[in-house]
Amino acid sequence: MKTALITGINGQDGSYLAELLLEKNYKVWGILKRNSVAENQTYRLDGIYGNPNLHLEYGDLTDFASLVRVLQLAKPMEVYNLAAQSHVRISFDQPIYTAQVTGVGTLNLLEAIRLVCPTSRVYQASSSEMFGNSIDADGFQRETTPLNPVSPYACAKVFSYNICRNYRNAYNMFISNGILFNHESPRRGSNFVTNKVAKEAAKIKLGLSDKLSLGNMDATRDWGHAKDYVRAMWMILQHNSADDFVCATGISHSVQDLVNYVFDYVELDPRQYVRTDKRYFRPEELRDLKGDANKAKEILGWEPEITFQDMMKEMVDYWLDYYKGHVKK
Ligand code: NAP
Ligand code: F7E
């Protein structure tokens, strides 16, 4: 039986990855950061909570000793480092905390792995945010595109990306970066733009709200579904050598396109409800993201399967059901 450890197991990606690994008959260990409301820690894990192959332990990326403790218990063959302060705009409000968790936290984990279980395979959740506003001449970002981060979050992710490559080369450890473009689902935090638009459009449709305030509507993103992207994480660690891979759909949409699509789906005119609000703009914006995932396709055989349109319908339907009282959240 294979054993995996997931940091950030109760996040969007961690919860889908845990489900995938349990289906593949792994023993799955997960690190939970303590929260005063215990239910908040596990609601995304409701479907697998109580599974005898799922083991949850308290720990924190900023607490080196807790990482050593969990690694000694779990003895994982694979470690997926998904924990992070992952919100880009909030990283401008909490830059030092973001650097400590999203940057130095990765180094804490690598050092703990080097000391406790140096042969474990490690997946690092790197991000398309690392490219900033660098774009290749053909309009895409790929593994060779220069990194030019434009937020404290992205700066921290660049540090993590580089320290992973350094540990791979210096200590001959199996450490791979997945450079993932935006990926979403009904489990996405509702302060990220896709789920915010889906949730608020559902509320407006049901007469529970009458406006939606957003920031920059011109930015474009390459949005895929989290289920496709956690499958990529697993495939990256099954490859015969450690390497870095971009995962993306290759199709990008503006925030305005997203709004138009969602409001069209719920048969409302967005011009009657959508406003811009300075609060949601960033001090420096990453304008356009569109990824070239050909390396992952050619070497791993990975391709996304769920379209942006089907994903957004799933998210809006989730919130419509939620506000009609059909789902417990
Ligand atoms: P998410 O929903 O925000 O989940 C982040 C997870 O990290 C949560 O479980 C959170 O726990 C945990 N965490 C936060 N601070 C921690 C700490 N100090 N110690 C231990 N755990 C901590 O993020 P996601 O969307 O699943 O993304 C997963 C990873 O991929 C993140 O590293 C993110 O930066 C990266 N990434 C995401 C995307 C994307 O589009 N989703 C794209 C590229 C890269 P609490 O919930 O209890 O705070
Ligand atoms: O913003 C614009 C905003 O917060 C997308 C994280 O998972 O993906 C995510 O980062 C775009 C930006 O995601 C609002 O300015 C407009 O241009 O959904 P988001 P993100 O910043 O792209 C990357 C790959 C990660 O690695 C991150 O961890 O939408 N936007 N109005 C807004 N964004 C938000 N959140 N809220 C608004 O009201």
Side-chain angles (χ1 to χ4, degrees):
M1 196 175 202
K2 279 190 163 184
T3 307
L5 171 66
I6 305 173
T7 73
I9 192 167
N10 57 333
Q12 171 188 252
D13 292 2
S15 61
Y16 283 117
L17 180 64
E19 287 169 11
L20 179 79
L21 296 181
L22 287 170
E23 274 167 28
K24 292 185 181 296
N25 205 30
Y26 277 60
K27 184 176 282 199
V28 177
W29 292 75
I31 289 183
L32 292 179
K33 177 165 67 74
R34 191 257 171 184
N35 185 293
S36 65
V37 181
E39 291 75 13
N40 285 354
Q41 291 173 315
T42 51
Y43 85 86
R44 287 190 180 108
L45 302 173
D46 278 352
I48 50 174
Y49 199 70
N51 184 311
N53 288 325
L54 177 68
H55 305 273
L56 301 174
E57 291 289 330
Y58 285 109
D60 195 302
L61 278 194
T62 62
D63 177 358
F64 175 77
S66 73
L67 302 175
V68 169
R69 185 184 74 80
V70 178
L71 287 167
Q72 283 174 333
L73 271 176
K75 300 182 183 64
M77 298 159 78
E78 296 171 9
V79 179
Y80 296 85
N81 183 31
L82 310 187
Q85 191 302 92
S86 73
H87 200 286
V88 174
R89 201 202 54 73
I90 294 171
S91 79
F92 286 98
D93 299 339
Q94 292 193 277
I96 297 169
Y97 175 75
T98 302
Q100 283 166 345
V101 175
T102 307
V104 178
T106 304
L107 177 56
N108 284 334
L109 182 66
L110 293 183
E111 266 299 280
I113 293 169
R114 189 171 75 83
L115 295 171
V116 177
C117 50
T119 58
S120 301
R121 293 185 171 206
V122 183
Y123 173 87
Q124 168 58 20
S126 285
S127 166
S128 52
E129 285 289 315
M130 301 188 308
F131 297 121
N133 288 315
S134 293
I135 307 178
D136 288 358
D138 63 358
F140 287 84
Q141 289 105 355
R142 49 179 62 83
E143 292 81 359
T144 48
T145 304
L147 305 182
N148 184 19
V150 295
S151 67
Y153 167 80
C155 292
K157 282 287 182 189
V158 170
F159 172 78
S160 287
Y161 167 83
N162 280 322
I163 201 71
C164 283
R165 289 165 62 95
N166 173 232
Y167 269 53
R168 176 162 84 206
N169 297 328
Y171 303 119
N172 200 24
M173 290 167 69
F174 192 113
I175 305 172
S176 296
N177 283 287
I179 307 172
L180 271 47
F181 282 61
N182 300 52
H183 46 277
E184 321 290 315
S185 73
R187 295 186 198 170
R188 182 60 136 160
S190 59
N191 54 357
F192 293 89
V193 76
T194 51
N195 214 14
K196 177 174 173 178
V197 172
K199 178 180 175 180
E200 294 306 318
K203 282 170 72 178
I204 294 169
K205 180 69 183 174
L206 297 173
L208 301 171
S209 174
D210 59 6
K211 70 170 191 302
L212 165 59
S213 300
L214 292 171
N216 183 0
M217 309 277 285
D218 298 327
T220 66
R221 290 293 184 271
D222 177 332
W223 281 296
H225 196 296
K227 278 190 180 174
D228 280 332
Y229 288 57
V230 301
R231 184 165 46 81
M233 294 175 188
W234 177 77
M235 292 172 92
I236 286 171
L237 284 200
Q238 308 319 302
H239 185 50
N240 54 23
S241 59
D243 203 347
D244 304 325
F245 295 94
V246 159
C247 298
T249 69
I251 301 168
S252 84
H253 302 267
S254 67
V255 175
Q256 182 70 61
D257 291 342
L258 161 75
V259 166
N260 292 346
Y261 182 77
V262 167
F263 276 74
D264 189 48
Y265 180 57
V266 294
E267 299 175 327
L268 292 172
D269 180 352
R271 290 170 300 184
Q272 287 182 23
Y273 306 100
V274 180
R275 307 278 176 271
T276 52
D277 185 326
K278 283 203 303 269
R279 272 189 302 165
Y280 301 110
F281 283 79
R282 291 146 192 216
E284 190 176 5
E285 173 69 285
L286 193 167
R287 291 185 295 274
D288 298 301
L289 281 175
K290 187 167 64 166
D292 170 6
N294 267 315
K295 181 178 172 186
K297 184 178 174 186
E298 281 163 21
I299 297 180
L300 305 174
W302 178 82
E303 276 189 277
E305 289 169 2
I306 304 170
T307 64
F308 168 79
Q309 289 77 7
D310 285 347
M311 177 180 78
M312 291 313 308
K313 285 182 197 162
E314 182 192 354
M315 291 166 70
V316 176
D317 289 346
Y318 171 86
W319 286 111
L320 287 170
D321 281 351
Y322 174 78
Y323 283 110
K324 288 177 192 162
H326 297 162
V327 286
K328 187 166 69 67
K329 182 138 196 300

